[in-house]
Amino acid sequence: MASLMKQALDKKFSRKAFIGWSAALTTAAAAPAYGLKKIDSKVAAEKLEEEGRWVSASCWHNCGGRCLNKGFVVDGVVTKQKTDDTHEDSPDYPQQRGCARGRSQRHQVFGVDRLKYPMKRKHWEPGGGKKELRGKDEWVRLEWDEALDLVADELKRVKENYGNKSIIGASRLINHYGGALVRWGSSSSGAWGKPQQHMAANLSWGGSDRLDWRNSKLIVMWGSNPAWSNGGNPQYNLMQAKKAGAKFIFVDPFINPSVRSLDAEFIPCRPGTDTALLLALAYYMIENDLQDQDFLDRCTVGFDKDNMPEGADPKENFKDYVLGTYDGVPKTPEWASEICGTPVEKIRFFAQEIGTTKPMIFQSSFAPARTHRGQQFCQAFLTVGWMTGNVGKPGAGVFTLNYARNQSYGGKTLVMPGGRGLESPENPLFPGLTFGAYDGYRFAAPTRTDFHGMAYTETYDAILNGEYTATVRGKVPCDIRMIWKVRPGSGDNFLNQSSDIPKGIKAFRKLDSIITNDIVLSTISKYADIVLPATTEWEKEGRINTGNPEAIFIANKVTEPLFEARTEEWMEVELGKRLGISEETLFPISDKQQFFNSLAGSQVIQDNGEDYEPLVTITKEDIDEWGVEGEPQQGRIDLSELLEKGSYQVKRSPGDNLGDIKGKAYVDDPEGNPLDTETGKLEIHCQILADEIAAYGFTTIAPIAKYEPPLEGYEDTFENYETKEKGEFPFQLVTLHYPRRSHSVFDNVPQLREAFPQDFVMNKRDADERGLKDGETVLIRSRHGKVIRNLFTTETLMPGVVTLGEGAWVDLDEETGIDRAGATNMLNGAHNSGQGEEPWNTCNVTVEKYDGPPLKADKYWEQRVIF
Ligand code: SF4
């Protein structure tokens, strides 16, 4: 067969030609000799079956799931996909099946809008050129050498004139080149980090083993919608718990698809007011003596005045705060209902249920903590959960579920990859800090004077105003000139995914240079100066992906790099040559060796549930064939079989030795197994938490859970809260994970745009009051920006609450300042809070009919095709 890929890559591409080619490759594979002759499609399909092969390629996106993905590769092109068919599906041993996004990856990898060549903004020149044209300038194609010379020269210029701290970014190269300004804070997990660390010694991160969830009688899901936000198996596992007899209660502003699929009791609660609801639950339980006093006395400190940590003011106990003993405000269901919107009877019902049903799982997602003053929710959630005593027992638990572990998985890690063998270089500007996730590190250490960077939420103000908050030490000057995003794992689209895009664009237009690598023209690259075309994971040597603790997934190389795309490692090596940093220094071992190391070091748990053994059998022939260094070893599965199968999943059955009850050892013997907290116990009163949050220099909290209205919460929707006179921004916006995207990834895929329209959702009664109709285009404004979208009305969302899926790629009308795509960060403000959590679920907006032309459906929008 003639080489499809070669014909395609040799071709001079007009957009039309590429669409034709791409469609031919990715739809039905009906033209094996593309464009040469007509052929019957059935015959063509059979021919392709003979000529192609299935390659396992795990989905690589940061969605919350982790699934097996297989591509049928014909001459380097994936013509169809399938998911896990490696074994029969069963509840105990479920297939790891992908969602619509993962199954659309071929449209992403082979899409018409892949970046094909290095390019620069026409009016950029060293120092910035016409900075105001960022985002609307023309693009000029560059040769690779030209692009690399420009980038290396600009890095040198900025470093020599302004120093490394004028660069925001992280990569191996930049750390070897003197480092850069790192940023800290919390996006995904909201405010959970520090409360978990100091109150619970991280005992409540992640859940117990998924099979144990079937022992529960009641499962509370707070702010959770796994059917949308955790693709893959989590919802399936919850259905097994339901089948086994568990009742479900969901707390949310939205009767979401998970509520309906689990036939759950629904407790409505306004965004950012969850703390008030939790305090009322505590009040009811105390009044009715439903708290597990024995558990509180044995395993916690701070619940009441008789059980306070040493040195704490006895009046600062939680029980007296809830009862209003000293502040005169009992936190009754009536008090809470006015704030959170939950009917009083529902609050009493809910409190009665959690106070009397055992065993119960009380779990929260990260979403309710993605608010201004998010820590207060975390404090209240843990405290009320602990009041029920559901810790360390079968079918019980008080959990915050981490997306990477997959909601309702939890438990021990049963199989894990080995290290890749590549050490991370230290950032010389921040001692002890190595290149890793995000820009550098998740949370600043406010007590160390040499260890602070800038909060994510303060980035744009820092660029515009020349200073940022160096934790409790106050403001420090800065002169930020460059954004550097050439790093492994393209897709750090932070201009789109951080709050306050309008301010972000202003800040971007002040800088000297913005360099990115990307696979498509995502928002950050659209506003950049030089963009380098990167390979997708399907064009790399391979890696092992993890997430589900029961399985690992192989991402094999599927095809050669498309067009002139290169790996980020290649880019850094080529830049290193120009900056005097050797390949040996940057990447002392090859990608292939790294992949091999990871496979060879993989471990799997033994049947005793304690010890681990090597997973992969590797022969001398394997090592020779790979051309790598290594030793033969005996494992459970042959290397070639693992690579072909694409995953290794540990088989489970109820009663096996592989389960785990979180916190059991501590609860059985708190004195013998003290926790790593200040007191060795679970801390309802936690002074070190309050001190550390204060030290960040943003907002403060009390050592116990208290309700204080957040910025842009429910209270701020009023002009006058006492008289209930609404203000200019009367609605509360919640920003949901939406099945069309994994954060902002996949927003460019037309098939997903068609399946999941980006509608703006509001309660039908709210819409009727404003004369707004389903399907018409509405203008949504906040204090920070404005978007237009088509309206979808429903009775399943609380009145006063509106929602949009997060992650749409901003599409700005420069004249009006309106974003047509419905990017939620156009509306969200970048408020500094607590430990630098993004306050995505505290945002006030107003909605009106749009007087411009109606929006056409996203699936008809032009894709960002540059060359
Ligand atoms: S996007 Fe997530 S849930 Fe969907 S296939 Fe990929 S890993 Fe699985």
Side-chain angles (χ1 to χ4, degrees), residues 417-566:
R420 289 176 69 86
L422 193 64
E423 285 191 6
S424 283
E426 186 171 284
N427 182 339
L429 297 179
F430 298 90
L433 179 62
T434 54
F435 168 59
Y438 297 79
D439 283 7
Y441 57 109
R442 302 299 297 277
F443 308 116
T447 49
R448 278 183 58 178
T449 52
D450 62 343
F451 201 79
H452 60 80
M454 176 177 68
Y456 299 136
T457 46
E458 216 179 3
T459 303
Y460 303 144
D461 278 333
I463 293 170
L464 293 167
N465 304 326
E467 62 177 17
Y468 65 84
T469 306
T471 65
V472 78
R473 290 173 292 283
K475 300 278 187 188
V476 294
C478 62
D479 183 9
I480 299 165
R481 297 278 170 161
M482 181 185 222
I483 289 177
W484 170 263
K485 283 288 164 197
V486 179
R487 43 168 295 172
S490 57
D492 183 356
N493 187 11
F494 82 77
L495 180 59
N496 205 79
Q497 295 305 99
S498 299
S499 295
D500 209 338
I501 294 172
K503 196 189 279 181
I505 291 173
K506 262 190 223 153
F508 268 46
R509 287 180 175 159
K510 189 180 175 219
L511 295 165
D512 288 4
S513 40
I514 302 159
I515 320 272
T516 67
N517 65 296
D518 220 326
I519 60 170
V520 285
L521 198 70
S522 69
T523 303
I524 192 167
S525 294
K526 184 176 175 186
Y527 287 84
D529 299 311
I530 297 177
V531 183
L532 307 175
T535 51
T536 64
E537 295 296 310
W538 281 12
E539 297 147 77
K540 293 183 179 173
E541 278 302 335
R543 64 174 52 247
I544 301 177
N545 287 322
T546 58
N548 173 351
E550 296 179 7
I552 57 169
F553 300 92
I554 307 297
N556 285 305
K557 186 173 189 176
V558 171
T559 188
E560 293 302 317
L562 293 176
F563 306 98
E564 293 187 8
R566 297 289 180 268

Side-chain angles (χ1 to χ4, degrees), residues 749-791:
V749 175
Q751 288 84 349
L752 291 169
R753 289 181 165 217
E754 181 167 6
F756 306 105
Q758 172 79 359
D759 287 333
F760 174 75
V761 184
M762 75 189 299
N763 182 284
K764 183 156 186 345
R765 280 170 283 167
D766 287 334
D768 288 347
E769 272 174 27
R770 281 157 184 76
L772 303 174
K773 295 193 176 48
D774 253 322
E776 72 182 359
T777 304
V778 293
L779 172 69
I780 307 115
R781 281 189 299 119
S782 76
R783 294 175 177 89
H784 316 282
K786 40 196 176 178
V787 309
I788 52 173
R789 279 283 96 192
N790 291 336
L791 180 66

Side-chain angles (χ1 to χ4, degrees), residues 59 61 63 65-67 97-99 101-103 231-232 742 746:
C59 185
H61 295 294
C63 69
R66 192 63 71 212
C67 313
R97 295 192 291 251
C99 72
R101 295 165 299 187
R103 297 185 200 206
S742 165
F746 290 113

Side-chain angles (χ1 to χ4, degrees), residues 154-167:
E154 182 63 359
L155 255 179
K156 268 188 221 164
R157 189 190 70 79
V158 171
K159 177 184 166 90
E160 281 164 16
N161 289 297
Y162 308 104
N164 284 76
K165 224 171 164 182
S166 65
I167 304 166

